[in-house]
Amino acid sequence: MDVPGFALITGAASGIGKACALAFAAEGSAGITLLDLNESALATVKSEIEALAKPCQILTYAVNVTHEADVTRAVTSAAQIFGRLDYIVNAAGIAIKHAGGAAFATTSDWNRVLDINLNGTFYVLRAAAKIMLDQTPLLSSIDSRPLQRGSIINFSSIQGVAGITLSTAYTTAKHAVIGLTRTASEDYAARGLRVNAICPGYTETPMTMGNPDVLRAMQERVAGAVPMGRMGMPREIADGVLFLAGGRSSFVTGSCLMVDGGYTSR
Ligand SMILES: NC(=O)c1ccc[n+]([C@@H]2O[C@H](COP(=O)([O-])OP(=O)(O)OC[C@H]3O[C@@H](n4cnc5c(N)ncnc54)[C@H](O)[C@@H]3O)[C@@H](O)[C@H]2O)c1
């Protein structure tokens, strides 16, 4: 996938973010910064990467993405230690269902979901873009094309392009992440900084598998609504992220990659 540089991944302690961290390491990245709220789970991911056949330099930051000063400090520190920052994966996120729908959604649920999924993504993107714009372009490890100053991948969802019931705040946040992606990609396309979104469909992670009731409802929905008839695996989403991060997507910016088993094609 041509990802020889340095990555920073939020939400790296679990699910898709963790799968991305393992995938960057397996594909030969020079270093990976793991950022998440969950400090002990970050340490576990770090050890798993260090046990791989191709270990790479790992930094961990226990940071809440909604705390903008902490985010800026962590991103700046990682860039200073590594010397540059090539790939940002904005995977930190939460999902909340509102019983009864929009009419009964609480302001605190609304604010929490928007704060983590949208504001957190913006804080990381802003801190990283400032650094990336001053970098010399990274050369492709495959054919030495001057590829990019940086590549930012924001996590949207199938709910970034479609409404799903009882998900007012989450669907709003994921639509907004696509807007953020498109406008930032316009800002920097000519300067070699690419910004794309990934839109996973139903994927087997702690977010979806943690609650048996939620899981049962989701499995029924998947059987009827997903053409491939199954949920995705975190590694399948990570493959899309690696494509958007590295040299295989050097002419791709402002796009939304659907990795959803065909859900949004219907
Ligand atoms: N699993 C799915 O079906 C699915 C579908 C579409 C999109 N997504 C998106 O993919 C991304 C990853 O989801 P996942 O399924 O791996 O979830 P997950 O719950 O397994 O992992 C999310 C990680 O984000 C971290 N996190 C949450 N709030 C944070 C905060 N304020 N600051 C820092 N870290 C925080 C958590 O600690 C956790 O490690 C999310 O943005 C999610 O919305 C998931």
Side-chain angles (χ1 to χ4, degrees), residues 94-213:
I94 59 160
I96 289 179
K97 291 276 186 195
H98 315 284
F104 301 95
T106 65
T107 304
S108 66
D109 280 353
W110 169 268
N111 285 340
R112 186 156 172 254
V113 171
L114 270 286
D115 209 15
I116 295 172
N117 294 307
L118 178 60
N119 295 349
T121 298
F122 166 63
Y123 299 146
V124 175
L125 178 150
R126 180 177 60 185
K130 273 193 196 125
I131 292 165
M132 289 170 154
L133 287 167
D134 282 340
Q135 298 182 150
T136 51
L138 184 71
L139 297 185
S140 165
S141 61
I142 297 170
D143 59 12
S144 295
R145 268 174 294 167
L147 287 177
Q148 60 197 27
R149 286 181 209 285
S151 175
I152 298 176
I153 298 101
N154 296 325
F155 264 74
S156 181
S157 163
I158 49 176
Q159 285 174 255
V161 297
I164 289 184
T165 188
L166 308 183
S167 293
T168 310
Y170 186 79
T171 301
T172 304
K174 293 301 186 182
H175 273 66
V177 165
I178 291 180
L180 169 64
T181 300
R182 288 183 171 144
T183 188
S185 84
E186 276 285 324
D187 287 338
Y188 304 123
R191 294 171 66 186
L193 169 53
R194 299 188 298 111
V195 187
N196 291 286
I198 189 151
C199 298
Y202 297 105
T203 307
E204 290 187 13
T205 70
M207 181 183 273
T208 51
M209 310 291 279
N211 177 329
D213 293 335

Side-chain angles (χ1 to χ4, degrees), residues 9 15 58 61 91 150 155 175 186 256:
I9 302 167
I58 301 293
Y61 293 89
F155 264 74
H175 273 66
E186 276 285 324
C256 306

